[in-house]
Amino acid sequence: MKKRALISVFYKDGVLELAQYLASKGWEILSTGGTKKHLADAGVPVTDVSAVTGFPECLDGRVKTLHPKIHAGILGIRNNPEHAKTMEDLGVDPIDLVCVNLYPFFEKVQAGLSFEETVEFIDIGGPTMLRSAAKNHDDVLVLTEAADYAEVMAELDAAGQDTQKVSRDLKRRLAGKVFNLTSAYDAAVARFMLGEAAAPASGKSPLWPEYFTVPYKKAQSLRYGENGHQQAALYLNADSVGAFGGMKQLQGKELSYNNMRDLDIAWKAACAYGEFMKSLPEAFPAAPETKAPVICVALKHNTPCGAALGKTVLEAYQRTFLVDPVSIFGGIVGCNTIIDATAASEMIKTFLEVVVAPGFTAEALEIFSAKKNLRLVQAETKPNAITETLSVDGGILVQERDNTLFSDWKVVTEKAPTAEQAADMAFGMTMALFVKSNAIVVVKDRVAVGLAGGQVNRIWPTEQSLARAKILTDAGLPCLDGKTSTGGAEVMISDAFFPFADCVEMAAKYGIKAIVQPGGSMRDQESIDAANRLGIAMVFTGTRHFKH
């Protein structure tokens, strides 16, 4: 009996060559719609599926291959006598190869179409044929991507066109690709339907369905993971464009696993201040006008080692560099605005692994080109994820992204912070979001002059951050007004409450005048009393920012 192949593809790269090969080997080609026309126009003999089913394509193409003569032809087990007799009685001829790819739902769900328009790109017949063929893969070859066409043609040549003699390893691998594709496709549809349809109707959050399914597609294999002996790859959302999906590497070596982890935090930290300043609490005192929209963040080992605002990229970078000229070596720098030639000239004076920004001037690119290994990344999309995940052995933890800087602005001491101190508090809190707990940040004039965290108690990073801040401010810090500051830092930020008064007492020794923390300890009053005794203003925000 003549072998038959059903070919129906949206993406037509390579399909003509496959069909021509099969036709030359005596196969009958079944097809539909655009694929049939594409093959017929090139001279490939094609049988319309409706000629097999005896049923016309209908409902605007929604029903073409959903017919027993198609699915029985795919699912019938060739060496099962009962299946063979049933197929003969019903006049069903076997289908030995299925080549299908799906409507572009991944792309269309990102395109901003209406809900009704997007629904029309949900493929029904394609996944159904693929799943049928994959289930019966011992007898049916199934193809979902052009990358496999050549290997299948070579195997068919070796097997004398007998699909049952094609290697079981290849057939299982192709079947596995089917379920890998259709599960991701269904995940994208589920996320779309839950997010766009069910939530408004039910009033329930679409974030926590019974099954957490996310369609990730491999963007690239990496040379290695966190360490040289670990394999790794980068997967990106197939149904939405996050910050990483909007990044372009303009020069330099291939990004490593660790580069990417740092890049993620550097870009989030660079963007955070501008986003959070749009939603300050009503009680927040009016901050002085700084005319400093530019922020620069330096990162090392997934932790900020410097951060500052500036009127220009150069000023922001120079102030960031001053925070820790040692740790920035071999680090990553993120900026929230286009990097120009003056900033680029300064940045190449030290060894940096990665620089990420929304863009680079032509002059800056020319300057950076002298550092061939330096990775330049243009980030065209701001961080926009709603949730974040962390793998645990046997599962994942899923939570909403930490996207609330303040729940409140409650002055709990006799003294209130000045507007200038409040501005430093707001800046410092955005940086504390990205410092490992227990996080303590000391700020002066919108420079994070002290950054410490990742310790098992709060007093150690408090002392480390304060001591570092004193060294910097004693040396004189460039101010936003172009002058050199005098005096020490006045503002300290804590990501969580103080369990004892010791951190307040330590802060007073270093001249801190204002502290912001979430509050919520059983011993809050001890810290408040200590602040009042020592003449320190203290604000409770009601929002903890642990980062483990």
Side-chain angles (χ1 to χ4, degrees), residues 6 67 237 326 359 388 492 537:
L6 196 161
H67 193 280
N237 280 346
V326 175
E388 55 190 15
M492 186 175 84

Side-chain angles (χ1 to χ4, degrees), residues 401-412:
R401 190 162 60 100
D402 188 357
N403 56 12
T404 301
L405 197 61
F406 305 89
S407 297
D408 197 4
W409 181 265
K410 184 179 179 182
V411 179
V412 295

Side-chain angles (χ1 to χ4, degrees), residues 434-513:
F434 303 101
V435 178
K436 297 287 187 182
S437 298
N438 292 299
I440 297 291
V441 179
V442 178
V443 178
K444 182 177 178 62
D445 198 36
R446 265 65 90 214
V447 180
V449 289
L451 291 154
Q455 304 284 355
V456 292
N457 65 52
R458 194 157 292 277
I459 193 65
W460 291 348
T462 299
E463 185 168 21
Q464 289 170 0
S465 189
L466 289 165
R468 180 63 190 165
K470 186 177 188 307
I471 292 171
L472 287 177
T473 54
D474 282 354
L477 191 70
C479 289
L480 290 169
D481 60 10
K483 300 176 182 178
T484 300
S485 69
T486 57
E490 296 184 353
V491 172
M492 186 175 84
I493 295 95
S494 176
D495 67 338
F497 62 63
F498 296 135
F500 306 103
D502 53 356
C503 291
V504 178
E505 292 164 351
M506 176 73 70
K509 292 180 181 177
Y510 283 86
I512 292 297
K513 303 299 183 187

